[in-house]
Amino acid sequence: QVTQLSGGQQQRVALARALAPEPRILLLDEPLSNLDPALRERTRRELRAVIRRVGITTVIVTHEQEEAFDLGDRIAVLRSGRLEQVGTADALYTEPASAFVAGFVGRASSVDVEVIGSAGSDAVRVRVGGAEWTVPSRGRAGEPGRPARLLARPEALRIGPADPDQAVFVGTVTDRRFLGATSLFRVAADSGTVLEVEGPAGTAEVGARVGVVPAGAGLHLYPEGGT
């Protein structure tokens, strides 16, 4: 009997019953929420294979980014009933349309900056502390003299020596999360800004004094207070 099944088993039975008639359109609301991590990943692969094999147009509602990235050909980000952006997982991550999307999809550190001038048709120079960075511009965020907010992906930053002449931010490593080949470091800068930086696992230990500098793509500029 269904009542004798665990919550995860009931969830899988419900999925099977929904897929069995091969409907033209299928709505799934948090379909994998009751499954443990290993079973969730396996069921997600099976669900993706069935949907693509049968060709069912499927709308999936989820709060799990990994689930959305894995199952969705196109992803819609909603905020308080408002559609913020629709696109592929790559587009949402690399070209977020708003500061909310940039902070919601993946990880990003928020830094207050001042725009000081143009650096081409689609980039500007910004002042961060006592240093200057060149970053992509977006609309009003590129107007010189205006304060702006810079969101930086962990891979867009690099940890280096705690030398104010070489680093934009100098601070202390307060946390390190092991990710396998890399680690995610949380750096509390002396200026009060908290940064998340991805780097090789042995880059620094908790408590170490380090500097942080830009390392490449993954910097997104928005007007101050922009959402």
Side-chain angles (χ1 to χ4, degrees), residues 211-223:
V212 178
V213 297
L219 302 174
H220 306 287
L221 188 68
Y222 301 92

Side-chain angles (χ1 to χ4, degrees), residues 69 74-77 85-97 101-102 105 153 220:
F69 286 177
R74 290 176 63 79
I75 302 168
V77 178
Q85 187 174 355
V86 179
T88 63
D90 285 348
L92 294 180
Y93 189 82
T94 61
E95 300 177 9
V101 175
V105 177
R153 300 293 188 196
H220 306 287

Side-chain angles (χ1 to χ4, degrees), residues 15-107:
L15 279 172
R17 293 179 63 183
L19 291 165
E22 298 185 3
R24 293 173 59 187
I25 299 178
L26 182 64
L27 172 63
L28 299 176
D29 187 0
E30 301 282 0
L32 309 178
S33 59
N34 291 333
L35 307 180
D36 62 65
L39 183 56
R40 183 185 303 126
E41 183 175 354
R42 186 166 69 249
T43 304
R44 188 169 64 226
R45 290 197 303 265
E46 296 169 353
L47 178 60
R48 181 180 59 213
V50 170
I51 289 173
R52 292 182 176 175
R53 183 177 68 249
V54 180
I56 302 172
T57 298
T58 306
V59 178
I60 300 175
V61 180
T62 180
H63 290 86
E64 294 290 337
Q65 291 186 27
E66 183 178 354
E67 190 173 300
F69 286 177
D70 196 18
L71 293 174
D73 296 316
R74 290 176 63 79
I75 302 168
V77 178
L78 296 173
R79 180 189 186 192
S80 300
R82 174 185 173 186
L83 184 61
E84 291 279 337
Q85 187 174 355
V86 179
T88 63
D90 285 348
L92 294 180
Y93 189 82
T94 61
E95 300 177 9
S98 66
F100 173 78
V101 175
F104 182 76
V105 177
R107 310 181 72 93

Side-chain angles (χ1 to χ4, degrees), residues 129-216:
E132 295 183 8
W133 288 1
T134 298
V135 300
S137 63
R138 184 183 297 274
R140 290 190 303 110
E143 295 181 14
R146 296 184 64 94
R149 181 154 55 123
L150 182 68
L151 276 81
R153 300 293 188 196
E155 66 271 18
L157 303 173
R158 179 172 56 82
I159 285 178
D163 184 347
D165 294 330
Q166 299 182 35
V168 176
F169 294 98
V170 174
T172 303
V173 178
T174 60
D175 185 54
R176 181 177 73 91
R177 180 182 300 178
F178 181 71
L179 302 177
T182 63
S183 288
L184 186 68
F185 300 89
R186 183 179 291 268
V187 179
D190 296 343
S191 62
T193 300
V194 178
L195 303 164
E196 290 187 322
V197 186
E198 185 175 340
T203 299
E205 297 295 332
V206 174
R209 295 285 293 171
V210 299
V212 178
V213 297

